[in-house]
Amino acid sequence: MKYTRMAIEAQAPEEVGYGRIRNNLSESAIADRKLGELGVDLSDLTLLYGEHRGDAALRGQIARHSGSAAVHPEDVLVCAGAAGALFIVASALLKPDSHLVVVRPNYATNIETPKAIGCAISYIDLSFDTGFKTDIDAIERAVRPDTAYISVTCPHNPTGSMMSWDDLLRLDDIARRHGCLVLVDETYRDLSHGEPYPTAASISDRFIAVSSLSKAYGTPGIRTGWLITRKPSLYELFLAAKEQIGICGSVLDEAVGAAVLAQRDAWLKTSNRRNLRHRDIVRTWMAGEPHMEWVEPAGGVVCFPRLKVPASFDLDRFYRGLLENHGTYVGPGHWFDMPRRYMRIGYAWVTEEQLRDGLAGISAAIREQVAPQGA
């Protein structure tokens, strides 16, 4: 495995230093929560080796909230976050002579781990000009006899776009006819702006679905995620990989995760209402900012607008000034193998005041190089 550090990690707020950031619009989740908010008492928890598949009660909750009676607890493997699940899938299924099809832009782990393994990747690039719509026909044209899986994200990070359920069904047909699998990163499923789809793993045993408690529940620190597969032979393969990586998960993390999911419905009802208010703040700002344009997100808590600026616009100066002069941090496009005039803005991690201040900071940083229209 030829590892290289991903830009999204090397330039994460933790690396930059939170003390330098006043308005952190780079985060792709809701605000982080405190353990005391959950009202959970772990004083009687025995710190033993946990169940290798993950705590049975937690797996039962994940299956119940999957949106499908076709998914059962024995289909769920608890992992160290969605990142851990993605690593297990890639390392278990891919070899240096493997091929996969990846929709891009994408969360870096979906790309960098396969690259570290050395396999070939065909990218299906989403286009701003088509509303970041996934081209299913292009995906099929990219599939080869040695394709291990097709990798998609729904709702999408960083654009906030949504594939249709019919498109997911078309992927199932493609996978069946070409003998490959479909990996769906659905970490934002509970942050859909409408009724969430059932887990994609409910479609058929050709699907592997990955999710976590990080983005929608404000608990990334417990490192609790999962993968779902309804194919027993795949499950055994992934379980073997998990056992060789770390045997089992943390019983502390999984106990907290179970407490989080026990409060799921009430939490999402309140949290998603706040998330949509924040999205509306971004919508209003976008409507009044002539040097930015976007595709309005249909899910998640991020968007991926781009700068409408002349070719002479100095992007290095913009991002540097945005942080140093306006205390605002965003996710530049190169985090996702995209041009740096794109940026990911996360609008739910910050307070409303910070969001408004951060958006104003972006406008101010633009006008340090571009005069206001009509001036």
Side-chain angles (χ1 to χ4, degrees):
M1 299 271 289
K2 299 178 180 179
Y3 289 112
T4 58
R5 286 198 80 191
M6 299 179 290
I8 194 171
E9 305 299 350
Q11 299 167 15
E14 297 87 349
E15 297 290 311
V16 172
Y18 283 111
R20 298 177 61 195
I21 303 170
R22 186 172 71 249
N23 308 307
N24 185 4
L25 306 188
S26 72
E27 298 290 350
S28 57
I30 68 163
D32 301 326
R33 299 162 72 187
K34 296 185 182 299
L35 182 61
E37 297 175 26
L38 301 175
V40 58
D41 180 3
L42 302 178
S43 58
D44 288 333
L45 181 67
T46 302
L47 302 180
L48 73 172
Y49 281 109
E51 297 177 66
H52 292 196
R53 292 163 176 79
D55 177 72
L58 177 59
R59 288 186 289 117
Q61 289 173 307
I62 293 167
R64 283 195 301 277
H65 296 309
S66 69
S68 172
V71 173
H72 305 286
E74 56 266 29
D75 303 323
V76 178
L77 180 66
V78 179
C79 306
L86 292 170
F87 182 86
I88 285 173
V89 171
S91 61
L93 293 180
L94 300 176
K95 305 183 295 294
D97 60 353
S98 297
H99 171 259
L100 70 156
V101 179
V102 178
V103 172
R104 184 175 64 175
N106 210 314
Y107 177 60
T109 302
N110 280 313
I111 295 174
E112 294 300 331
T113 302
K115 283 171 62 176
I117 292 169
C119 62
I121 305 175
S122 294
Y123 296 109
I124 306 301
D125 289 324
L126 302 181
S127 169
F128 184 98
D129 296 328
T130 59
F132 295 125
K133 180 177 172 57
T134 304
D135 188 336
I136 304 299
D137 292 331
I139 289 176
E140 178 156 27
R141 289 193 298 270
V143 173
R144 305 185 332 199
D146 58 346
T147 299
Y149 59 80
I150 300 163
S151 176
V152 301
T153 306
C154 185
H156 188 257
N157 176 16
T159 69
S161 61
M162 289 275 291
M163 297 177 66
S164 71
W165 188 253
D166 284 345
D167 280 347
L168 290 169
L169 294 178
R170 287 186 63 194
L171 290 182
D172 183 49
D173 180 61
I174 292 169
R176 177 185 55 79
R177 288 187 284 105
H178 292 275
C180 63
L181 301 169
V182 182
L183 171 65
V184 182
D185 183 341
E186 54 184 30
T187 305
Y188 291 90
R189 185 172 75 88
D190 284 337
L191 291 171
S192 298
H193 295 173
E195 185 67 23
Y197 296 156
T199 176
S202 66
I203 295 173
S204 79
D205 65 3
R206 286 174 286 275
F207 278 74
I208 306 159
V210 167
S211 191
S212 82
L213 295 178
S214 297
K215 304 301 184 184
Y217 296 92
T219 54
I222 64 172
R223 308 311 305 138
T224 299
W226 57 87
L227 64 82
I228 302 174
T229 174
R230 294 164 56 209
K231 192 176 185 67
S233 59
L234 272 182
Y235 190 98
E236 285 298 307
L237 176 64
F238 297 149
L239 175 59
K242 178 186 176 182
E243 288 172 330
Q244 292 177 41
I245 292 169
I247 304 175
C248 63
S250 160
V251 294
L252 281 166
D253 289 355
E254 292 181 11
V256 175
V260 169
L261 281 182
Q263 304 170 17
R264 173 186 181 273
D265 292 344
W267 169 256
L268 290 178
K269 182 178 181 180
T270 300
S271 178
N272 285 346
R273 190 182 302 123
R274 173 186 181 273
N275 299 338
L276 291 176
R277 286 200 308 270
H278 281 217
R279 182 211 54 190
D280 290 345
I281 291 171
V282 181
R283 178 193 284 155
T284 300
W285 172 73
M286 287 294 308
E289 177 45 74
H291 298 294
M292 295 287 291
E293 57 185 347
W294 76 336
V295 174
E296 185 172 320
V301 288
V302 295
C303 57
F304 202 54
R306 66 183 182 186
L307 289 156
K308 290 170 40 181
V309 291
S312 60
F313 191 85
D314 187 334
L315 290 165
D316 288 337
R317 178 185 168 193
F318 166 76
Y319 284 113
R320 186 171 58 251
L322 182 61
L323 177 59
E324 294 178 356
N325 301 332
H326 306 286
T328 298
Y329 202 54
V330 297
H334 71 268
W335 284 9
F336 309 96
D337 284 341
M338 290 287 284
R340 295 181 77 226
R341 67 190 181 109
Y342 289 86
M343 67 184 74
R344 185 181 71 181
I345 295 176
Y347 51 80
W349 192 83
V350 289
T351 66
E352 180 176 326
E353 180 182 4
Q354 290 169 328
L355 176 60
R356 293 184 186 278
D357 190 46
L359 297 174
I362 295 172
S363 292
I366 293 171
R367 282 167 180 78
E368 286 167 4
Q369 298 188 57
V370 180
Q373 292 187 350

